[in-house]
Amino acid sequence: MQVQRRSKASTRRDFDGSLEPNLDLVSSKIMETRYYEGCGREGPIRCIFLGEFHPVAGPKISCQFPEDYISKEVFDSISAYIIPKPQIQKCTMTINALGHKIVGYPIRIDNPRYERNVYLFNICFVCDSWSKTVQYEPVVKKLGEHLTIMEEETGFVSSGSSKLPTLLAHLLHDLNTHRKATLVEGDTVMHLKVLEVRKDPPPVHDYDVPVLVASVGLPRPGRPRRPIPPEGTETQSQEHLDVEDDEPFEVDMAAEWDLTTRQILPYINSYNHVSKIAADTNVEKTLVKSCIQNLVYYGVVSTIYTYKNELLFVSLANVGNPIFTLKQLMEKKWEYAQSIHSLFVDFAKAYDSIDRPTLYRILTRFKIPQKLVRMVEVGTRESRMTVRVGASPTDEFDVVTGLRQGDALSPMLFNLALEHAIRKVNTLNGGVWLNGQHRVIGYADDLALLGERKQHVIDALNCLQQEASRIDLRVSHEKTEYLHMHRYKNISEKT
């Protein structure tokens, strides 16, 4: 028993003694996993130093903060890149070596007042080797050019000014804490700011709907600005205000936008798509797209794609939209004595025919998050129904196809399924040209295929039938009508 206790005690001591090294090993492995070159994480500026070429001592660090952060051995090993050859001077450069990532902007000033008729220096930011540093490159460049001007005017850098350590310390603290800094030297004032580098925004399409996600400082059309209370007065609590009274349009940022953006901002209301905004503001559509893409880049708006046939399942107040569009097309074609061929298509048992597995694949193809797709799948599968015959219901039976009647989500799901079929039709040649090309106009499961030639309508119908069959939709030939309209001829016949 004594031997066993001694063994357990020694084991416990061995474990306790090795606990701290094991934790260090685990933490180092975690760091290697989370922080690595190219991980995209931003790190703080660890050090700022000024390197220069001394006419006697050669490349050296004349000033740095914190002191001795970059040792002489480390600097000597990379000095050829800190004070480089003339070919790569006045270029932003990044050096990743010896556990440090250094961003610099080497400067060369030619002037006979210097001992070798030239003065070389470089102001450098030092970060962790894994840190993303592209956001600091404009700051380093601007700072280097500012120091160049100060050096040419007063010799501020080469004279070893006693203000340099204070300047570097102030710069390091403000850039890390506030991501901006202001340097004042005599009558010279310079502002530095670290800007977030974002990815290029995706292209904006005609039927994208911009949604505001930040304040822009403009009221909605027809609504006055909210008055700013005078200083010293008590402001009303915002907790009881409803959404309409607490809109994000009150921050005064109007002066920061260009004229076109200021013109379209009041019409971004989470409902208007790009084409409607362009029509309402009388602004060229390409300019509207560019402005919205710029707003997306800066995080002011986000775009939501609405399908080109979003007239499906709108409120009763908007039922006239597709009818109005078709009426306008016919009036203009009549005015210019041009014919228009229309095929009014209806689907047989549209809701009850949708193939559910195909619908799930279509949702995935439209890049709808998999979590939502799975929720839709759970909500639509394993449906059971019963039919009342006389006064007694039948036994329950499984329903494996179609969408649930009366479900609030069913119109949108049917819209997506039909959109998948219509997109192929929109790639065909033909259609009716009037301020753009119109091939399909629709409401619910009723579609109108348009063309300036009969063959165009036939090709569109064949394509629609082929694509609709993939989701088990069938065209009802009994309800399908063909209309050929011309100023001298108006024929309606069954197809």
Side-chain angles (χ1 to χ4, degrees):
M1 291 296 293
Q2 293 178 354
V3 175
Q4 291 179 357
R5 290 175 181 172
R6 204 163 33 244
S7 175
K8 291 180 180 179
S10 62
T11 303
R12 190 179 296 110
R13 284 195 301 271
D14 294 340
F15 176 79
D16 293 340
S18 62
L19 179 61
E20 187 173 352
N22 287 340
L23 289 177
D24 294 340
L25 179 61
V26 171
S27 61
S28 63
K29 289 183 178 180
I30 293 176
M31 287 289 291
E32 291 176 1
T33 304
R34 295 181 56 190
Y35 300 96
Y36 53 90
E37 170 64 19
C39 66
R41 296 175 179 268
E42 292 188 17
I45 304 173
R46 300 295 184 182
C47 172
I48 301 179
F49 71 86
L50 176 67
E52 66 175 0
F53 185 85
H54 192 271
V56 177
K60 70 170 188 175
I61 296 179
S62 61
C63 181
Q64 69 170 313
F65 185 87
E67 295 183 2
D68 299 329
Y69 187 86
I70 298 297
S71 63
K72 186 178 184 304
E73 292 76 13
V74 172
F75 180 81
D76 290 342
S77 61
I78 59 175
S79 60
Y81 304 100
I82 303 298
I83 308 295
K85 299 294 183 181
Q87 291 80 1
I88 56 175
Q89 290 173 353
K90 285 201 171 182
C91 296
T92 306
M93 54 192 307
T94 302
I95 308 158
N96 196 346
L98 304 177
H100 303 289
K101 184 179 284 189
I102 303 174
V103 183
Y105 186 73
I107 300 293
R108 174 190 177 98
I109 301 177
D110 295 301
N111 197 303
R113 71 181 182 184
Y114 300 114
E115 188 170 341
R116 295 194 179 188
N117 297 327
V118 65
Y119 179 61
L120 306 174
F121 72 94
N122 193 353
I123 186 75
C124 298
F125 290 2
V126 183
C127 302
D128 296 310
S129 60
W130 49 264
S131 176
K132 183 175 74 172
T133 57
V134 64
Q135 69 275 10
Y136 297 127
E137 292 179 2
V139 178
V140 172
K141 180 179 179 181
K142 185 176 181 180
L143 182 60
E145 293 174 346
H146 177 71
L147 292 178
T148 301
I149 296 175
M150 295 178 65
E151 171 64 23
E152 291 174 344
E153 292 179 353
T154 63
F156 179 80
V157 182
S158 60
S159 62
S161 173
S162 58
K163 298 180 180 179
L164 269 175
T166 305
L167 183 144
L168 298 184
H170 170 72
L171 193 62
L172 179 67
H173 175 268
D174 287 357
L175 290 180
N176 281 336
T177 305
H178 310 292
R179 298 182 68 84
K180 60 183 178 180
T182 302
L183 303 181
V184 180
E185 178 60 29
D187 297 333
T188 305
V189 180
M190 183 183 63
H191 302 282
L192 299 173
K193 186 175 183 179
V194 180
L195 298 177
E196 180 183 356
V197 180
R198 302 178 176 92
K199 296 181 180 179
D200 292 338
V204 177
H205 303 93
D206 293 354
Y207 287 85
D208 284 348
V209 175
V211 178
L212 282 167
V213 294
S215 301
V216 295
L218 291 176
R220 295 189 186 278
R223 297 191 61 181
R225 291 182 182 270
R226 183 180 301 170
I228 302 176
E231 296 183 1
T233 60
E234 296 183 359
T235 58
Q236 187 179 11
S237 175
Q238 301 291 320
E239 296 179 355
H240 67 282
L241 297 179
D242 55 11
V243 176
E244 288 296 321
D245 291 333
D246 194 21
E247 294 176 320
F249 282 80
E250 302 303 327
V251 180
D252 188 12
M253 296 171 59
E256 300 184 10
W257 304 109
D258 58 89
L259 295 178
T260 305
T261 303
R262 292 173 62 183
Q263 186 173 351
I264 70 172
L265 275 173
Y267 294 87
I268 299 178
N269 57 3
S270 305
Y271 174 78
N272 294 335
H273 52 72
V274 172
S275 296
K276 181 171 176 55
I277 293 174
D280 292 346
T281 58
N282 196 24
V283 177
E284 180 67 28
K285 192 184 298 183
T286 55
L287 292 177
V288 174
K289 290 181 180 179
S290 298
C291 292
I292 293 177
Q293 194 173 26
N294 185 57
L295 294 174
V296 171
Y297 178 80
Y298 287 105
V300 177
V301 303
S302 177
T303 57
I304 299 176
Y305 180 74
T306 58
Y307 307 99
K308 189 172 182 179
N309 301 281
E310 193 62 24
L311 294 172
L312 312 177
F313 301 105
V314 295
S315 61
L316 292 178
N318 294 328
V319 170
N321 288 346
I323 300 176
F324 174 78
T325 302
L326 185 59
K327 182 180 178 181
Q328 288 292 308
L329 290 172
M330 289 185 172
E331 287 181 357
K332 291 301 180 182
K333 293 299 180 181
W334 183 277
E335 180 181 349
Y336 292 100
Q338 297 177 357
S339 63
I340 178 172
H341 299 262
S342 307
L343 187 65
F344 300 93
V345 179
D346 191 10
F347 292 98
K349 299 179 180 179
Y351 259 50
D352 299 330
S353 303
I354 296 293
D355 182 65
R356 292 176 183 175
T358 306
L359 174 63
Y360 306 147
R361 290 193 293 270
I362 290 174
L363 297 180
T364 303
R365 197 168 301 166
F366 282 154
K367 297 182 180 180
I368 293 177
Q370 285 299 314
K371 181 179 180 181
L372 298 181
V373 176
R374 289 193 296 269
M375 292 175 65
V376 170
E377 185 176 354
V378 170
T380 54
R381 68 184 179 186
E382 298 181 359
S383 301
R384 300 180 65 83
M385 292 187 180
T386 182
V387 179
R388 178 179 296 177
V389 180
S392 59
T394 64
D395 296 335
E396 290 186 352
F397 55 91
D398 295 330
V399 179
V400 295
T401 62
L403 301 172
R404 293 182 177 181
Q405 297 285 349
D407 189 351
L409 187 61
S410 294
M412 179 58 70
L413 296 178
F414 181 82
N415 191 357
L416 293 170
L418 190 58
E419 172 71 19
H420 183 265
I422 292 175
R423 281 192 175 187
K424 188 68 175 179
V425 179
N426 285 328
T427 62
L428 299 176
N429 295 326
V432 177
W433 288 91
L434 182 64
N435 192 25
Q437 194 172 16
H438 306 272
R439 297 184 183 89
V440 183
I441 298 177
Y443 177 76
D445 60 338
D446 299 318
L447 302 179
L449 305 180
L450 307 177
E452 296 179 348
R453 297 180 180 179
K454 184 176 181 180
Q455 188 60 41
H456 292 164
V457 176
I458 295 175
D459 293 341
L461 176 61
N462 294 334
C463 180
L464 178 64
Q465 286 181 315
Q466 180 180 358
E467 294 299 320
S469 64
R470 302 179 188 274
I471 53 177
D472 287 352
L473 280 177
R474 298 182 304 277
V475 175
S476 175
H477 296 282
E478 293 76 12
K479 299 180 181 179
T480 299
E481 295 281 344
Y482 169 71
L483 175 66
H484 176 212
M485 190 212 72
H486 195 274
R487 180 180 292 184
Y488 310 110
K489 185 178 180 181
N490 193 346
I491 300 176
S492 176
E493 62 183 18
K494 297 273 185 175
T495 59

